[in-house]
Amino acid sequence: STQSTWGGNEALRQKNKVGYHTAVASYTDGLTHPVSAAMQAHLYANRAQAHLLLQNYRHCIRDAEQAIKLSPTVKAHYRAIKAALALHHHSVALQHCEQALCLEPDAPTILPLKKKVEAALEAEAKAQLQAAQQRRPRTDPHTVMVAELKRRGLQLGPLELHSHQFAQFLNGCLAYVDSEGALHLPTLFLYDLYDQSDIVQDVCEDDTLRAHLADMFPAAAGGTVCWDTAHVYTLVDALRVFHKHGDAYVPVDMHRPLKEFLHTPQCRIQLPGCLLTLHVVPATSPHALSWAA
């Protein structure tokens, strides 16, 4: 693990993407070995820095928070704050600011960030108030969102799967357009190999599906999903994503931004709920081989 730390640190000093990716791999390797909690915290914190430099902001926050659980430091909080700010997750950023200042009340790296976060939260509150004042009374959010999807030229269709478990996502409307004009959709992931499922309430069209799958099935954790007895879903790059269109299953490139697939004729956003449904299976499974054929 000491060698992994040294190799990761050397790679970071290259100050380029190749070096940052090498650093991530080095720190990840270190985490696969039995090490002390302090060393684990150090590896997670360093990997958070590498992810921050790669603009993998969600991964950065996840690693920084893991480091903080093991051994809280101002440095780990700082990295989480920077990533949260990049994602406009200002509430998360403020929480880390306050926790960091509990560790070091006059932390020079945190105080200016806290002011920035508080200003952003104030601006958000004003914008939300203005939007609420301008919103017409009795406006149905679902109707508004359906109109917005049509305006964007996206295809709509009926639900693929009906279940009482998904009722909360169908009766309301979790889809929305953020302040930068990006579409966010609730997304149902079906794992046909095990008849399991997940609903992610907020998938941005600018995201890649791979990033979400990597968060849901972290390989470094050795597979944390109890139903994945063969640990096939921890091998994220060996998974394939499909979307059902009529009787056919259309492949979805999980490495490309989701919006590229949303604008294809084969994609259907399902009503009610403005829900996107995706099937995730191992590439060598009978499902994937049959659907790809």
Side-chain angles (χ1 to χ4, degrees):
S1 58
T2 302
Q3 185 176 0
S4 297
T5 302
W6 181 86
N9 294 347
E10 285 297 307
L12 281 181
R13 293 189 186 100
Q14 296 177 23
K15 296 185 178 180
N16 56 49
K17 283 193 173 183
V18 173
Y20 302 152
H21 281 292
T22 301
V24 169
S26 294
Y27 298 135
T28 300
D29 177 71
L31 287 166
T32 62
H33 300 288
V35 294
S36 67
M39 178 58 74
Q40 285 186 47
H42 183 66
L43 289 167
Y44 276 118
N46 283 5
R47 194 170 70 175
Q49 174 65 7
H51 279 309
L52 180 63
L53 294 169
L54 286 168
Q55 299 181 7
N56 294 335
Y57 299 124
R58 288 182 177 83
H59 292 291
C60 174
I61 293 172
R62 185 185 67 193
D63 279 353
E65 290 181 343
Q66 189 63 43
I68 291 163
K69 287 179 184 178
L70 293 164
S71 179
T73 63
V74 171
K75 185 179 293 185
H77 281 297
Y78 173 83
R79 291 165 183 172
I81 295 165
K82 294 289 285 186
L85 276 170
L87 292 170
H88 303 289
H89 293 176
H90 299 122
S91 296
V92 174
L94 181 61
Q95 181 182 8
H96 281 285
C97 286
E98 292 172 344
Q99 291 175 2
L101 292 173
C102 286
L103 297 174
E104 186 181 336
D106 298 320
T109 58
I110 304 300
L111 290 174
L113 285 180
K114 186 171 185 285
K115 290 182 179 179
K116 184 176 181 180
V117 171
E118 289 172 338
L121 284 169
E122 184 178 353
E124 279 184 0
K126 288 181 179 179
Q128 290 172 1
L129 179 60
Q130 291 176 353
Q133 293 171 342
Q134 295 172 0
R135 193 179 299 123
R136 292 182 300 172
R138 298 180 183 177
T139 298
D140 175 15
H142 188 270
T143 301
V144 173
M145 181 50 61
V146 169
E148 174 63 18
L149 295 176
K150 290 180 178 178
R151 186 191 69 79
R152 291 170 177 249
L154 303 182
Q155 304 297 314
L156 308 177
L159 289 173
E160 177 184 339
L161 182 66
H162 294 266
S163 171
H164 69 279
Q165 296 176 343
F166 311 136
Q168 60 177 313
F169 299 96
L170 307 180
N171 294 334
C173 183
L174 295 179
Y176 69 97
V177 176
D178 64 25
S179 60
E180 297 181 355
L183 176 65
H184 296 246
L185 294 171
T187 301
L188 171 62
F189 291 87
L190 299 174
Y191 313 120
D192 300 75
L193 193 64
Y194 290 101
D195 291 324
Q196 297 289 334
S197 63
D198 278 324
I199 282 189
V200 178
Q201 297 186 24
D202 186 342
V203 175
C204 177
E205 64 176 351
D206 293 329
D207 292 346
T208 66
L209 294 174
R210 190 200 181 284
H212 283 276
L213 291 172
D215 283 339
M216 290 188 284
F217 303 106
T224 58
V225 183
C226 60
W227 49 260
D228 184 17
T229 54
H231 298 289
V232 292
Y233 279 89
T234 61
L235 306 173
V236 173
D237 288 316
L239 298 177
R240 295 295 181 269
V241 182
F242 293 84
H243 175 73
K244 190 174 183 182
H245 176 66
D247 294 327
Y249 288 82
V250 182
V252 183
D253 188 346
M254 66 178 177
H255 298 280
R256 303 293 302 167
L258 179 61
K259 61 184 173 186
E260 293 183 9
F261 178 72
L262 293 178
H263 286 273
T264 63
Q266 294 82 14
C267 180
R268 292 289 184 274
I269 296 174
Q270 299 166 12
L271 302 177
C274 300
L275 183 72
L276 179 65
T277 299
L278 299 169
H279 297 257
V280 182
V281 293
T284 57
S285 67
H287 300 80
L289 296 175
S290 172
W291 296 343

